[in-house]
Amino acid sequence: YSFFFSSRRRHTRQRSVSWARRCVQETGTWGFIYKMKANPDPFKTIEEKVKALASKTIPEMLTGKEYDAKTAPELAHGISETIIKGLAEINKEFKYAVSCIILSKTECGLHLSSSCFWNSITDGSIVEKWEGEKMFCVVTVFGFAIQQSLILLRTSPYSAYI
């Protein structure tokens, strides 16, 4: 993608041609051109690492513990934070969202659903389930690709105005 940008507003009072067109006519270039990385790495390239991180973190935090409604929020927060820190080490080109649900093992049911509007080529998610003697845990990790920083190409005589 290419974008035209100018930090100064230029008025063309008595000219029939805009400043941008004059710039092209005079210099043969489009002023300041920014280019973005066209294809960020897809989530599929790190999906196995993310799944391994989640499947390792949950048992480490919950094995041997009994369900307690007072400590469950702290455990869920601890699991989410540990996974987020591990994800930042795996790949920093993604924004991550982690959801953790801890519930006691009783006769009740649980139905979960998630929906996202995203780029299905670069973004993705995993779900990791864990079952202990006294509780269940379900962790969902969403990874959203970040567009790379814009790269400035100085191709205009007006580039000093940036």
Side-chain angles (χ1 to χ4, degrees):
Y1 299 102
S2 296
F3 300 97
F4 178 78
F5 174 79
S6 174
S7 60
R8 289 200 175 176
R9 185 180 178 120
R10 291 171 177 82
H11 299 281
T12 56
R13 289 186 184 164
Q14 298 177 347
R15 296 189 187 246
S16 60
V17 179
S18 70
W19 174 83
R21 286 193 182 159
R22 279 198 329 270
C23 181
V24 171
Q25 290 170 352
E26 293 170 7
T27 64
T29 61
W30 270 96
F32 314 115
I33 299 173
Y34 291 86
K35 291 193 176 179
M36 296 191 321
K37 184 177 178 182
N39 296 321
D41 295 330
F43 185 78
K44 292 176 184 173
T45 59
I46 62 166
E47 190 170 347
E48 291 302 317
K49 291 179 183 177
V50 173
K51 196 153 187 69
L53 174 66
S55 63
K56 181 184 112 183
T57 303
I58 298 168
E60 284 179 359
M61 302 277 294
L62 296 180
T63 301
K65 297 195 175 160
E66 292 190 21
Y67 180 82
D68 180 17
K70 292 179 182 177
T71 60
E74 295 170 13
L75 287 172
H77 181 73
I79 291 169
S80 298
E81 286 295 314
T82 304
I83 291 173
I84 286 286
K85 288 176 184 172
L87 292 170
E89 294 173 6
I90 291 174
N91 192 335
K92 293 188 179 188
E93 291 186 5
F94 288 90
K95 286 185 179 181
Y96 299 102
V98 177
S99 168
C100 179
I101 298 171
I102 298 175
L103 61 145
S104 70
K105 215 175 200 183
T106 59
E107 293 288 325
C108 66
L110 174 70
H111 299 278
L112 297 172
S113 176
S114 62
S115 178
C116 292
F117 181 73
W118 62 18
N119 183 343
S120 60
I121 295 169
T122 58
D123 304 337
S125 66
I126 62 110
V127 176
E128 185 64 32
K129 295 170 234 147
W130 178 84
E131 184 178 341
E133 292 179 23
K134 304 280 183 175
M135 62 182 134
F136 292 105
C137 181
V138 180
V139 171
T140 307
V141 178
F142 298 94
F144 309 99
I146 300 172
Q147 290 290 335
Q148 293 296 313
S149 301
L150 299 177
I151 302 168
L152 173 63
L153 301 175
R154 294 180 181 228
T155 58
S156 169
Y158 301 104
S159 61
Y161 295 123
I162 293 180

